[in-house]
Amino acid sequence: MQSPFEQKGYWWLPDSEENKLLGTLTYSQEDGASLELVGVFDSKKPEPIQQLPIILGVTQQGIPITLYKCIINSWAYPLVGLGGGKYLAHFVFEGVHFESEEKIRFNQLCGSYTDLEAWVGIYGFAIEMDTTDGKFVSKIRYEKPISQFFDVGETFEVGIGFSSRGPNHNIIQTEVTISQTSYLVVKSKNGDIQFDDLFKQLNIFAYLLQFAIQRIPYPVSVFGFSKENPQEFGEGKIHYPEINIFYTPIEPIVSRKQKLPQEFLYTFKDLSGDQISAWFTSFDKYETIIHLYRSLFYSNRLFIDTKFLNIAQSLESLHSILLDGQYLQKEKFIEQKEKVLSAIPAELTEWVDGALSNANYKRFRQKIFELLDNKKETSGRFIDNVELFAKRVTNTRNEFVHHNKQKLTFQKEELPSVIYILTMIFELYLLEIIGFSDEKVKELLEPKILAHLTGWKHLRTIKK
C-alpha cells in the first residue's frame, strides 16, 4: 500500500511565488491528501479561494511537490493573526513542479497493485536445491523478466513491466534479498500527453485486473515519467526521474488474505495481445455498464438492494448494445402504428400516438429473458424456468424502483443467489466481448459454477 506521510515545507501559487506560506502536507490512502497552511494566499480578497488547480511546494528535505485539483476544506480569515486553512488535494506529484494544468503531461505511467504479482505470475527466479552427502546447497539464479507490451490503437501501448532490487554487495553477507515488482504500464505513442488522459488508461488496465481477480485492487505504488521534468547529471546529460503519484482509492483499504492464481477468473497468461487490445478499444462503448458491474465489489458501500439493481441495470444496458432491442423492424413498426392511428377516433390520435411512441422497444423482462435464454446451457444449471425467473427479477426490480408491492418477487434472503446468477451471466458476455472462445469461457467459469452449485441454499426457491 502507499504509505502515509507528513511533510512540512513552503507552499505557494504558480503566479505568486513570492507569497510562500508555511504548511504541512499529510497523506494516507484512507483520508487522501490535505495541506494545512499558516496564512492565506491572497489577503486582499474578502473570501478564500475555493478551488485551486495547482499548489506548488518544497519540503524540508528539498523535494519539489505539485498538488493538483485542490479544494478548500476549512478556513480562518486573518482578521487577527496570520489566519490559515486546509486544502484537500486530489493528486500529489512528488519530485516535480508543474506550473499549470496544461503542463501536467506524462508519457508513461506505471502502477503496482495488490494481487498483481499473483495475477501476472511471471518471476525471474530459478532455484535449485541439493542435499547430496548431507550437505544443504541452494543455488538461486535471478534474471529480471522482459517487459511485455501490446499496441492499443494508434495512441497507446500497454503491458507488464518489472523492476528488481538487491542484493547489497557492500555489507557483510548473512542474508541476501532480491525482490521483484510487477507493474501495469501505459505509454503514449505521441510523447507527453495530458495526465488525466493517461491516468484513465491506467485505470482501465486496473479494471481488467479487477475483473480477473474478482475484488478491488489497491494501489501499492504509482509513478510516471514526463519530459516536463528533466534533470542534469554528469557532463550535461539529461534524464527523467520517476515522479511519484499519490491519490485516494475509491474504497478504504481493508486487510485480506492473499488469493491464489487458481482463484482468479483468469490470469494475465490467459490473455492474448488482441484480447488486451479489445478490452481497451471497446471500453468507451461499455464503460457505464462496466462501472455498474465493478460496483458489486465495493461491498462496504452497497446495500444488497443496490447491488441487485446495479447488476440488473448492467444487463439491461448490455442487451441494448449486443442484441436487437426492438420487436419489429423500424419501417414495419411505423407502418403498423399508422394503421392503428388511422383506425381510431380523431380525438384519441394524439394520446394513442404518445402511448405507442416506445411500444416497439423490448421491455426489461424480455431483455433479461433473452440474455438468460441465450446462455441457457449455464443458466439452466441454476434455473428450471427462465421465463419465471425473468419475471421475478423484473417484479423485484419494479418493487425497488417504483415502491409498489409486486407479486412473485425475490425475498431478501434470496437476493445473494439471484445476484450471483445475474453476475455470472454478465461475466459470460463480458468474457466474450474481450475475445475468449466459448470453450475457454466454459473452462474459466466452470470451477466457479461448481463451487456455487455445491450446497446451493436457495436453488429450490429460485426454481419455484
Side-chain angles (χ1 to χ4, degrees):
M1 313 297 175
Q2 291 180 312
S3 301
F5 61 78
E6 179 177 293
Q7 297 279 9
K8 299 183 186 300
Y10 283 106
W11 309 89
W12 65 93
L13 300 183
D15 58 355
S16 57
E17 186 174 352
E18 69 283 355
N19 182 25
K20 292 182 177 178
L21 304 178
L22 283 170
T24 302
L25 172 68
T26 57
Y27 170 81
S28 71
Q29 286 196 333
E30 290 79 8
D31 302 320
S34 63
L35 174 64
E36 192 157 4
L37 295 168
V38 178
V40 296
F41 284 124
D42 191 344
S43 59
K44 296 178 181 179
K45 292 186 178 180
E47 297 291 337
I49 305 172
Q50 297 292 325
Q51 296 187 18
L52 291 169
I54 301 288
I55 297 176
L56 301 177
V58 61
T59 70
Q60 284 180 310
Q61 293 74 31
I63 300 173
I65 300 285
T66 300
L67 305 182
Y68 180 42
K69 295 184 179 179
C70 308
I71 59 172
I72 196 167
N73 179 255
S74 62
W75 197 260
Y77 198 70
L79 296 174
V80 178
L82 294 174
K86 180 185 288 188
Y87 278 92
L88 305 180
H90 195 169
F91 290 98
V92 177
F93 301 115
E94 181 186 66
V96 64
H97 280 156
F98 291 115
E99 299 289 338
S100 66
E101 282 189 276
E102 293 71 27
K103 290 185 177 181
I104 304 180
R105 297 167 65 83
F106 286 77
N107 53 68
Q108 180 176 324
L109 292 178
C110 307
S112 173
Y113 298 85
T114 52
D115 289 314
L116 179 60
E117 300 289 353
W119 183 68
V120 172
I122 298 174
Y123 309 102
F125 295 94
I127 303 174
E128 296 180 12
M129 306 292 290
D130 187 355
T131 57
T132 307
D133 300 328
K135 296 180 180 180
F136 178 80
V137 179
S138 179
K139 296 180 181 180
I140 301 175
R141 182 178 181 275
Y142 176 76
E143 182 177 351
K144 188 173 73 172
I146 298 174
S147 299
Q148 300 182 29
F149 289 98
F150 312 94
D151 286 331
V152 177
E154 299 179 357
T155 308
F156 299 105
E157 190 178 16
V158 305
I160 304 296
F162 303 93
S163 69
S164 60
R165 298 180 63 182
N168 190 333
H169 299 284
N170 299 321
I171 61 175
I172 298 173
Q173 296 294 316
T174 59
E175 181 180 273
V176 175
T177 300
I178 302 174
S179 61
Q180 175 186 298
T181 303
S182 304
Y183 298 96
L184 300 181
V185 182
V186 295
K187 296 180 180 180
S188 165
K189 295 181 181 180
N190 304 317
D192 282 5
I193 63 172
Q194 288 297 313
F195 166 74
D196 290 344
D197 295 336
L198 200 56
F199 188 64
K200 178 182 177 181
Q201 299 303 312
L202 183 61
N203 283 331
I204 292 173
F205 209 170
Y207 301 154
L208 180 64
L209 171 65
Q210 180 173 341
F211 179 31
I213 66 176
Q214 299 280 283
R215 65 181 183 183
I216 306 165
Y218 296 115
V220 177
S221 67
V222 179
F223 59 90
F225 300 90
S226 171
K227 291 293 180 68
E228 296 288 337
N229 190 39
Q231 291 187 9
E232 290 189 17
F233 72 103
E235 301 179 355
K237 295 180 180 179
I238 299 293
H239 79 119
Y240 301 93
E242 294 178 4
I243 299 170
N244 293 317
I245 302 168
F246 302 90
Y247 62 96
T248 312
I250 293 176
E251 184 167 277
I253 297 167
V254 295
S255 178
R256 59 197 187 183
K257 182 181 177 182
Q258 173 67 51
K259 275 191 172 185
L260 299 175
Q262 57 265 33
E263 297 178 88
F264 301 151
L265 189 57
Y266 55 87
T267 68
F268 172 70
K269 293 177 182 177
D270 290 317
L271 294 168
S272 67
D274 288 341
Q275 289 170 323
I276 292 174
S277 179
W279 172 263
F280 278 87
T281 54
S282 63
F283 185 82
D284 286 345
K285 183 177 181 180
Y286 297 98
E287 181 173 6
T288 300
I289 60 176
I290 289 174
H291 286 318
L292 283 169
Y293 163 74
R294 289 181 53 243
S295 71
L296 301 177
F297 299 110
Y298 293 91
S299 55
N300 293 342
R301 293 173 180 254
L302 289 183
F303 294 108
I304 191 72
D305 313 34
T306 308
K307 295 180 76 170
F308 169 80
L309 289 173
N310 283 2
I311 190 59
Q313 186 179 341
S314 297
L315 286 167
E316 182 180 18
S317 300
L318 184 69
H319 182 283
S320 299
I321 296 173
L322 293 181
L323 305 177
D324 189 358
Q326 298 185 354
Y327 289 105
L328 302 173
Q329 292 292 329
K330 184 178 180 180
E331 295 76 13
K332 184 66 175 178
F333 174 73
I334 293 174
E335 177 187 337
Q336 294 198 9
K337 179 180 173 182
E338 292 299 326
K339 287 181 180 179
V340 172
L341 294 176
S342 63
I344 60 175
E347 63 270 18
L348 297 178
T349 301
E350 184 176 352
W351 176 69
V352 174
D353 188 24
L356 292 176
S357 59
N358 293 315
N360 196 35
Y361 293 99
K362 291 178 180 177
R363 302 297 185 262
F364 176 80
R365 176 178 168 183
Q366 182 65 23
K367 290 181 176 182
I368 296 297
F369 169 75
E370 289 182 3
L371 289 170
L372 290 166
D373 193 54
N374 286 346
K375 304 296 181 187
K376 56 188 173 185
E377 181 180 348
T378 301
S379 62
R381 299 171 72 176
F382 296 89
I383 309 163
D384 279 344
N385 190 328
V386 173
E387 243 183 307
L388 178 59
F389 183 83
K391 181 177 181 179
R392 295 185 73 189
V393 169
T394 303
N395 290 350
T396 305
R397 177 252 204 178
N398 290 342
E399 184 171 293
F400 287 157
V401 172
H402 302 296
H403 306 289
N404 294 328
K405 200 67 180 174
Q406 303 278 322
K407 294 181 179 179
L408 284 175
T409 59
F410 290 112
Q411 302 303 308
K412 286 274 186 173
E413 61 271 17
E414 297 175 307
L415 285 180
S417 301
V418 176
I419 291 169
Y420 168 74
I421 293 174
L422 297 178
T423 302
M424 175 185 59
I425 296 301
F426 181 88
E427 290 171 349
L428 279 170
Y429 285 101
L430 197 53
L431 288 169
E432 288 182 0
I433 290 168
I434 293 175
F436 285 109
S437 65
D438 290 343
E439 295 75 18
K440 188 63 176 180
V441 170
K442 185 176 181 180
E443 176 190 327
L444 293 173
L445 283 178
E446 188 64 18
K448 186 177 179 182
I449 291 171
L450 289 175
H452 282 80
L453 278 173
T454 304
W456 186 256
K457 294 182 180 179
H458 302 295
L459 184 59
R460 297 288 181 189
T461 308
I462 292 174
K463 288 190 172 188
K464 180 178 177 182

